[in-house]
PDB file of all heavy atoms in Angstrom:
ATOM      1  N   GLU T   6       0.878  -1.116   0.014  1.00  0.00           N
ATOM      2  CA  GLU T   6       0.049   0.052   0.084  1.00  0.00           C
ATOM      3  C   GLU T   6       0.854   1.249   0.050  1.00  0.00           C
ATOM      4  O   GLU T   6       0.559   2.250  -0.661  1.00  0.00           O
ATOM      5  CB  GLU T   6      -1.011  -0.010   1.175  1.00  0.00           C
ATOM      6  CG  GLU T   6      -1.923   1.032   1.229  1.00  0.00           C
ATOM      7  CD  GLU T   6      -2.934   0.951   2.432  1.00  0.00           C
ATOM      8  OE1 GLU T   6      -2.862   0.076   3.085  1.00  0.00           O
ATOM      9  OE2 GLU T   6      -3.790   1.992   2.530  1.00  0.00           O
ATOM     10  N   VAL T   7       1.914   1.174   0.715  1.00  0.00           N
ATOM     11  CA  VAL T   7       2.845   2.406   0.691  1.00  0.00           C
ATOM     12  C   VAL T   7       3.516   2.582  -0.688  1.00  0.00           C
ATOM     13  O   VAL T   7       3.670   3.618  -1.151  1.00  0.00           O
ATOM     14  CB  VAL T   7       3.961   2.225   1.757  1.00  0.00           C
ATOM     15  CG1 VAL T   7       5.090   3.217   1.636  1.00  0.00           C
ATOM     16  CG2 VAL T   7       3.435   2.223   3.168  1.00  0.00           C
ATOM     17  N   ILE T   8       3.850   1.488  -1.314  1.00  0.00           N
ATOM     18  CA  ILE T   8       4.419   1.511  -2.730  1.00  0.00           C
ATOM     19  C   ILE T   8       3.451   2.185  -3.665  1.00  0.00           C
ATOM     20  O   ILE T   8       3.766   2.995  -4.422  1.00  0.00           O
ATOM     21  CB  ILE T   8       4.799   0.046  -3.051  1.00  0.00           C
ATOM     22  CG1 ILE T   8       6.067  -0.428  -2.352  1.00  0.00           C
ATOM     23  CG2 ILE T   8       5.190   0.053  -4.581  1.00  0.00           C
ATOM     24  CD1 ILE T   8       6.370  -1.902  -2.708  1.00  0.00           C
ATOM     25  N   GLN T   9       2.151   1.748  -3.547  1.00  0.00           N
ATOM     26  CA  GLN T   9       1.130   2.343  -4.357  1.00  0.00           C
ATOM     27  C   GLN T   9       0.984   3.808  -4.082  1.00  0.00           C
ATOM     28  O   GLN T   9       0.680   4.586  -4.961  1.00  0.00           O
ATOM     29  CB  GLN T   9      -0.218   1.480  -4.275  1.00  0.00           C
ATOM     30  CG  GLN T   9      -1.261   1.927  -5.200  1.00  0.00           C
ATOM     31  CD  GLN T   9      -2.451   1.118  -5.085  1.00  0.00           C
ATOM     32  OE1 GLN T   9      -2.569   0.302  -4.247  1.00  0.00           O
ATOM     33  NE2 GLN T   9      -3.451   1.406  -5.957  1.00  0.00           N
ATOM     34  N   THR T  10       0.876   4.144  -2.801  1.00  0.00           N
ATOM     35  CA  THR T  10       0.650   5.513  -2.331  1.00  0.00           C
ATOM     36  C   THR T  10       1.755   6.449  -2.880  1.00  0.00           C
ATOM     37  O   THR T  10       1.497   7.578  -3.368  1.00  0.00           O
ATOM     38  CB  THR T  10       0.464   5.658  -0.852  1.00  0.00           C
ATOM     39  OG1 THR T  10      -0.633   4.810  -0.438  1.00  0.00           O
ATOM     40  CG2 THR T  10       0.309   7.054  -0.431  1.00  0.00           C
ATOM     41  N   GLN T  11       3.001   5.984  -2.672  1.00  0.00           N
ATOM     42  CA  GLN T  11       4.161   6.868  -3.141  1.00  0.00           C
ATOM     43  C   GLN T  11       4.420   6.706  -4.652  1.00  0.00           C
ATOM     44  O   GLN T  11       5.298   7.523  -5.094  1.00  0.00           O
ATOM     45  CB  GLN T  11       5.397   6.414  -2.376  1.00  0.00           C
ATOM     46  CG  GLN T  11       5.214   6.634  -0.882  1.00  0.00           C
ATOM     47  CD  GLN T  11       6.531   6.218  -0.162  1.00  0.00           C
ATOM     48  OE1 GLN T  11       7.506   5.821  -0.701  1.00  0.00           O
ATOM     49  NE2 GLN T  11       6.478   6.407   1.136  1.00  0.00           N
ATOM     50  N   GLY T  12       3.692   5.803  -5.350  1.00  0.00           N
ATOM     51  CA  GLY T  12       3.951   5.696  -6.742  1.00  0.00           C
ATOM     52  C   GLY T  12       5.328   5.089  -7.091  1.00  0.00           C
ATOM     53  O   GLY T  12       5.772   5.646  -8.156  1.00  0.00           O
ATOM     54  N   LEU T  13       5.894   4.271  -6.430  1.00  0.00           N
ATOM     55  CA  LEU T  13       7.090   3.698  -6.786  1.00  0.00           C
ATOM     56  C   LEU T  13       7.070   2.662  -7.799  1.00  0.00           C
ATOM     57  O   LEU T  13       6.088   1.912  -7.893  1.00  0.00           O
ATOM     58  CB  LEU T  13       7.809   2.994  -5.430  1.00  0.00           C
ATOM     59  CG  LEU T  13       7.846   3.893  -4.263  1.00  0.00           C
ATOM     60  CD1 LEU T  13       8.396   3.116  -3.036  1.00  0.00           C
ATOM     61  CD2 LEU T  13       8.719   5.190  -4.483  1.00  0.00           C
ATOM     62  N   THR T  14       7.935   2.728  -8.702  1.00  0.00           N
ATOM     63  CA  THR T  14       7.928   1.782  -9.857  1.00  0.00           C
ATOM     64  C   THR T  14       9.411   1.234 -10.095  1.00  0.00           C
ATOM     65  O   THR T  14      10.474   1.765  -9.605  1.00  0.00           O
ATOM     66  CB  THR T  14       7.450   2.473 -11.154  1.00  0.00           C
ATOM     67  OG1 THR T  14       8.416   3.565 -11.445  1.00  0.00           O
ATOM     68  CG2 THR T  14       6.057   2.779 -11.020  1.00  0.00           C
ATOM     69  N   ASP T  15       9.470   0.107 -10.798  1.00  0.00           N
ATOM     70  CA  ASP T  15      10.815  -0.387 -11.238  1.00  0.00           C
ATOM     71  C   ASP T  15      11.832  -0.501 -10.119  1.00  0.00           C
ATOM     72  O   ASP T  15      11.484  -1.153  -9.084  1.00  0.00           O
ATOM     73  CB  ASP T  15      11.323   0.520 -12.469  1.00  0.00           C
ATOM     74  CG  ASP T  15      10.521   0.511 -13.525  1.00  0.00           C
ATOM     75  OD1 ASP T  15       9.653  -0.376 -13.761  1.00  0.00           O
ATOM     76  OD2 ASP T  15      10.484   1.629 -14.209  1.00  0.00           O
ATOM     77  N   GLU T  16      13.011   0.073 -10.216  1.00  0.00           N
ATOM     78  CA  GLU T  16      14.046  -0.223  -9.228  1.00  0.00           C
ATOM     79  C   GLU T  16      13.687   0.303  -7.824  1.00  0.00           C
ATOM     80  O   GLU T  16      14.031  -0.339  -6.832  1.00  0.00           O
ATOM     81  CB  GLU T  16      15.285   0.392  -9.786  1.00  0.00           C
ATOM     82  CG  GLU T  16      16.550   0.120  -8.858  1.00  0.00           C
ATOM     83  CD  GLU T  16      16.836  -1.372  -8.655  1.00  0.00           C
ATOM     84  OE1 GLU T  16      16.523  -2.194  -9.510  1.00  0.00           O
ATOM     85  OE2 GLU T  16      17.346  -1.768  -7.574  1.00  0.00           O
ATOM     86  N   LYS T  17      12.969   1.467  -7.844  1.00  0.00           N
ATOM     87  CA  LYS T  17      12.587   1.967  -6.484  1.00  0.00           C
ATOM     88  C   LYS T  17      11.573   1.046  -5.842  1.00  0.00           C
ATOM     89  O   LYS T  17      11.673   0.868  -4.532  1.00  0.00           O
ATOM     90  CB  LYS T  17      11.997   3.367  -6.689  1.00  0.00           C
ATOM     91  CG  LYS T  17      12.971   4.464  -7.103  1.00  0.00           C
ATOM     92  CD  LYS T  17      12.394   5.820  -7.217  1.00  0.00           C
ATOM     93  CE  LYS T  17      13.403   6.909  -7.574  1.00  0.00           C
ATOM     94  NZ  LYS T  17      12.689   8.193  -7.610  1.00  0.00           N
ATOM     95  N   LYS T  18      10.777   0.520  -6.567  1.00  0.00           N
ATOM     96  CA  LYS T  18       9.754  -0.446  -5.994  1.00  0.00           C
ATOM     97  C   LYS T  18      10.446  -1.765  -5.559  1.00  0.00           C
ATOM     98  O   LYS T  18      10.216  -2.245  -4.451  1.00  0.00           O
ATOM     99  CB  LYS T  18       8.692  -0.837  -7.051  1.00  0.00           C
ATOM    100  CG  LYS T  18       7.615  -1.796  -6.599  1.00  0.00           C
ATOM    101  CD  LYS T  18       6.645  -1.937  -7.678  1.00  0.00           C
ATOM    102  CE  LYS T  18       5.405  -2.839  -7.316  1.00  0.00           C
ATOM    103  NZ  LYS T  18       4.507  -3.121  -8.458  1.00  0.00           N
ATOM    104  N   ARG T  19      11.383  -2.209  -6.421  1.00  0.00           N
ATOM    105  CA  ARG T  19      12.186  -3.440  -5.916  1.00  0.00           C
ATOM    106  C   ARG T  19      12.987  -3.201  -4.756  1.00  0.00           C
ATOM    107  O   ARG T  19      12.976  -4.053  -3.817  1.00  0.00           O
ATOM    108  CB  ARG T  19      13.109  -3.855  -7.115  1.00  0.00           C
ATOM    109  CG  ARG T  19      13.978  -4.959  -6.768  1.00  0.00           C
ATOM    110  CD  ARG T  19      14.917  -5.311  -8.008  1.00  0.00           C
ATOM    111  NE  ARG T  19      15.917  -6.317  -7.723  1.00  0.00           N
ATOM    112  CZ  ARG T  19      17.000  -6.077  -7.128  1.00  0.00           C
ATOM    113  NH1 ARG T  19      17.430  -4.765  -6.976  1.00  0.00           N
ATOM    114  NH2 ARG T  19      17.907  -7.093  -6.896  1.00  0.00           N
ATOM    115  N   GLN T  20      13.605  -1.991  -4.629  1.00  0.00           N
ATOM    116  CA  GLN T  20      14.489  -1.830  -3.429  1.00  0.00           C
ATOM    117  C   GLN T  20      13.576  -1.631  -2.188  1.00  0.00           C
ATOM    118  O   GLN T  20      14.038  -2.041  -1.138  1.00  0.00           O
ATOM    119  CB  GLN T  20      15.241  -0.405  -3.663  1.00  0.00           C
ATOM    120  CG  GLN T  20      16.451  -0.193  -2.658  1.00  0.00           C
ATOM    121  CD  GLN T  20      17.440  -1.399  -2.645  1.00  0.00           C
ATOM    122  OE1 GLN T  20      17.845  -1.878  -3.665  1.00  0.00           O
ATOM    123  NE2 GLN T  20      17.724  -1.888  -1.374  1.00  0.00           N
ATOM    124  N   TYR T  21      12.427  -1.055  -2.333  1.00  0.00           N
ATOM    125  CA  TYR T  21      11.544  -0.874  -1.212  1.00  0.00           C
ATOM    126  C   TYR T  21      11.104  -2.304  -0.720  1.00  0.00           C
ATOM    127  O   TYR T  21      11.069  -2.449   0.586  1.00  0.00           O
ATOM    128  CB  TYR T  21      10.345  -0.089  -1.508  1.00  0.00           C
ATOM    129  CG  TYR T  21       9.511   0.458  -0.316  1.00  0.00           C
ATOM    130  CD1 TYR T  21       9.795   1.570   0.381  1.00  0.00           C
ATOM    131  CD2 TYR T  21       8.553  -0.419   0.181  1.00  0.00           C
ATOM    132  CE1 TYR T  21       8.904   1.891   1.471  1.00  0.00           C
ATOM    133  CE2 TYR T  21       7.672  -0.231   1.216  1.00  0.00           C
ATOM    134  CZ  TYR T  21       7.985   1.091   1.859  1.00  0.00           C
ATOM    135  OH  TYR T  21       7.219   1.354   3.069  1.00  0.00           O
ATOM    136  N   ARG T  22      10.771  -3.151  -1.594  1.00  0.00           N
ATOM    137  CA  ARG T  22      10.384  -4.478  -1.132  1.00  0.00           C
ATOM    138  C   ARG T  22      11.567  -5.164  -0.451  1.00  0.00           C
ATOM    139  O   ARG T  22      11.340  -5.877   0.519  1.00  0.00           O
ATOM    140  CB  ARG T  22       9.984  -5.285  -2.325  1.00  0.00           C
ATOM    141  CG  ARG T  22       8.566  -4.920  -2.847  1.00  0.00           C
ATOM    142  CD  ARG T  22       8.111  -5.675  -4.090  1.00  0.00           C
ATOM    143  NE  ARG T  22       6.772  -5.616  -4.433  1.00  0.00           N
ATOM    144  CZ  ARG T  22       6.173  -6.054  -5.565  1.00  0.00           C
ATOM    145  NH1 ARG T  22       7.037  -6.841  -6.379  1.00  0.00           N
ATOM    146  NH2 ARG T  22       4.929  -5.920  -5.932  1.00  0.00           N
ATOM    147  N   LEU T  23      12.756  -5.008  -0.949  1.00  0.00           N
ATOM    148  CA  LEU T  23      13.931  -5.736  -0.326  1.00  0.00           C
ATOM    149  C   LEU T  23      14.233  -5.165   1.006  1.00  0.00           C
ATOM    150  O   LEU T  23      14.612  -5.853   1.964  1.00  0.00           O
ATOM    151  CB  LEU T  23      15.115  -5.497  -1.244  1.00  0.00           C
ATOM    152  CG  LEU T  23      15.179  -6.342  -2.551  1.00  0.00           C
ATOM    153  CD1 LEU T  23      16.386  -5.964  -3.367  1.00  0.00           C
ATOM    154  CD2 LEU T  23      15.058  -7.788  -2.299  1.00  0.00           C
ATOM    155  N   ASP T  24      13.996  -3.855   1.166  1.00  0.00           N
ATOM    156  CA  ASP T  24      14.286  -3.175   2.475  1.00  0.00           C
ATOM    157  C   ASP T  24      13.211  -3.463   3.551  1.00  0.00           C
ATOM    158  O   ASP T  24      13.493  -3.590   4.668  1.00  0.00           O
ATOM    159  CB  ASP T  24      14.400  -1.601   2.402  1.00  0.00           C
ATOM    160  CG  ASP T  24      15.703  -1.318   1.448  1.00  0.00           C
ATOM    161  OD1 ASP T  24      16.581  -2.179   1.250  1.00  0.00           O
ATOM    162  OD2 ASP T  24      15.769  -0.188   0.972  1.00  0.00           O
ATOM    163  N   HIS T  25      11.958  -3.510   3.104  1.00  0.00           N
ATOM    164  CA  HIS T  25      10.867  -3.599   4.055  1.00  0.00           C
ATOM    165  C   HIS T  25      10.085  -4.895   4.052  1.00  0.00           C
ATOM    166  O   HIS T  25       9.660  -5.440   5.077  1.00  0.00           O
ATOM    167  CB  HIS T  25       9.735  -2.419   3.807  1.00  0.00           C
ATOM    168  CG  HIS T  25      10.462  -1.111   4.017  1.00  0.00           C
ATOM    169  ND1 HIS T  25      11.169  -0.385   2.927  1.00  0.00           N
ATOM    170  CD2 HIS T  25      10.319  -0.160   4.961  1.00  0.00           C
ATOM    171  CE1 HIS T  25      11.473   0.729   3.469  1.00  0.00           C
ATOM    172  NE2 HIS T  25      11.125   0.908   4.563  1.00  0.00           N
ATOM    173  N   SER T  26       9.915  -5.516   2.963  1.00  0.00           N
ATOM    174  CA  SER T  26       9.201  -6.770   2.866  1.00  0.00           C
ATOM    175  C   SER T  26      10.031  -8.016   2.938  1.00  0.00           C
ATOM    176  O   SER T  26       9.549  -8.964   3.597  1.00  0.00           O
ATOM    177  CB  SER T  26       8.345  -6.896   1.508  1.00  0.00           C
ATOM    178  OG  SER T  26       7.387  -5.873   1.492  1.00  0.00           O
ATOM    179  N   LYS T  27      11.240  -7.915   2.539  1.00  0.00           N
ATOM    180  CA  LYS T  27      12.015  -9.186   2.679  1.00  0.00           C
ATOM    181  C   LYS T  27      12.346  -9.602   4.076  1.00  0.00           C
ATOM    182  O   LYS T  27      12.217 -10.782   4.455  1.00  0.00           O
ATOM    183  CB  LYS T  27      13.324  -8.911   1.961  1.00  0.00           C
ATOM    184  CG  LYS T  27      14.161 -10.205   1.842  1.00  0.00           C
ATOM    185  CD  LYS T  27      15.498 -10.015   0.972  1.00  0.00           C
ATOM    186  CE  LYS T  27      16.291 -11.213   0.841  1.00  0.00           C
ATOM    187  NZ  LYS T  27      16.645 -11.896   2.000  1.00  0.00           N
ATOM    188  N   PRO T  28      12.607  -8.621   4.997  1.00  0.00           N
ATOM    189  CA  PRO T  28      12.721  -9.111   6.495  1.00  0.00           C
ATOM    190  C   PRO T  28      11.478  -9.649   6.978  1.00  0.00           C
ATOM    191  O   PRO T  28      11.537 -10.783   7.798  1.00  0.00           O
ATOM    192  CB  PRO T  28      13.099  -7.788   7.176  1.00  0.00           C
ATOM    193  CG  PRO T  28      13.769  -6.918   6.159  1.00  0.00           C
ATOM    194  CD  PRO T  28      12.978  -7.244   4.842  1.00  0.00           C
ATOM    195  N   VAL T  29      10.353  -9.284   6.602  1.00  0.00           N
ATOM    196  CA  VAL T  29       9.038  -9.762   7.102  1.00  0.00           C
ATOM    197  C   VAL T  29       8.888 -11.147   6.613  1.00  0.00           C
ATOM    198  O   VAL T  29       8.521 -12.150   7.277  1.00  0.00           O
ATOM    199  CB  VAL T  29       7.868  -8.831   6.681  1.00  0.00           C
ATOM    200  CG1 VAL T  29       6.594  -9.503   7.131  1.00  0.00           C
ATOM    201  CG2 VAL T  29       8.119  -7.509   7.226  1.00  0.00           C
ATOM    202  N   VAL T  30       9.127 -11.355   5.250  1.00  0.00           N
ATOM    203  CA  VAL T  30       9.032 -12.671   4.604  1.00  0.00           C
ATOM    204  C   VAL T  30       9.906 -13.642   5.150  1.00  0.00           C
ATOM    205  O   VAL T  30       9.550 -14.783   5.524  1.00  0.00           O
ATOM    206  CB  VAL T  30       9.226 -12.593   3.142  1.00  0.00           C
ATOM    207  CG1 VAL T  30       9.130 -13.907   2.475  1.00  0.00           C
ATOM    208  CG2 VAL T  30       8.058 -11.785   2.447  1.00  0.00           C
ATOM    209  N   ASP T  31      11.143 -13.304   5.381  1.00  0.00           N
ATOM    210  CA  ASP T  31      12.194 -14.285   5.951  1.00  0.00           C
ATOM    211  C   ASP T  31      11.816 -14.655   7.333  1.00  0.00           C
ATOM    212  O   ASP T  31      11.801 -15.821   7.767  1.00  0.00           O
ATOM    213  CB  ASP T  31      13.584 -13.603   6.003  1.00  0.00           C
ATOM    214  CG  ASP T  31      14.183 -13.354   4.632  1.00  0.00           C
ATOM    215  OD1 ASP T  31      13.588 -14.030   3.666  1.00  0.00           O
ATOM    216  OD2 ASP T  31      14.997 -12.575   4.369  1.00  0.00           O
ATOM    217  N   HIS T  32      11.323 -13.701   8.192  1.00  0.00           N
ATOM    218  CA  HIS T  32      10.859 -13.995   9.554  1.00  0.00           C
ATOM    219  C   HIS T  32       9.646 -14.907   9.548  1.00  0.00           C
ATOM    220  O   HIS T  32       9.539 -15.825  10.345  1.00  0.00           O
ATOM    221  CB  HIS T  32      10.676 -12.705  10.289  1.00  0.00           C
ATOM    222  CG  HIS T  32      10.008 -13.008  11.676  1.00  0.00           C
ATOM    223  ND1 HIS T  32       8.748 -13.108  12.013  1.00  0.00           N
ATOM    224  CD2 HIS T  32      10.805 -13.168  12.853  1.00  0.00           C
ATOM    225  CE1 HIS T  32       8.536 -13.284  13.316  1.00  0.00           C
ATOM    226  NE2 HIS T  32       9.693 -13.262  13.761  1.00  0.00           N
TER     227      HIS T  32
END
């Protein structure tokens, strides 16, 4: 939802997922 609100695409979207969603998924 944050990605959609901020309008992140491509590399910025990928980096946001790695920084915020990847720790959640690994845990």
Side-chain angles (χ1 to χ4, degrees):
E6 186 176 356
V7 173
I8 290 174
Q9 185 177 5
T10 302
Q11 296 182 2
L13 303 180
T14 58
D15 300 333
E16 183 59 29
K17 292 183 178 180
K18 182 178 181 180
R19 174 180 175 273
Q20 192 60 45
Y21 189 91
R22 283 178 172 176
L23 291 177
D24 293 341
H25 297 83
S26 296
K27 188 176 184 301
V29 178
V30 172
D31 292 340
H32 177 269

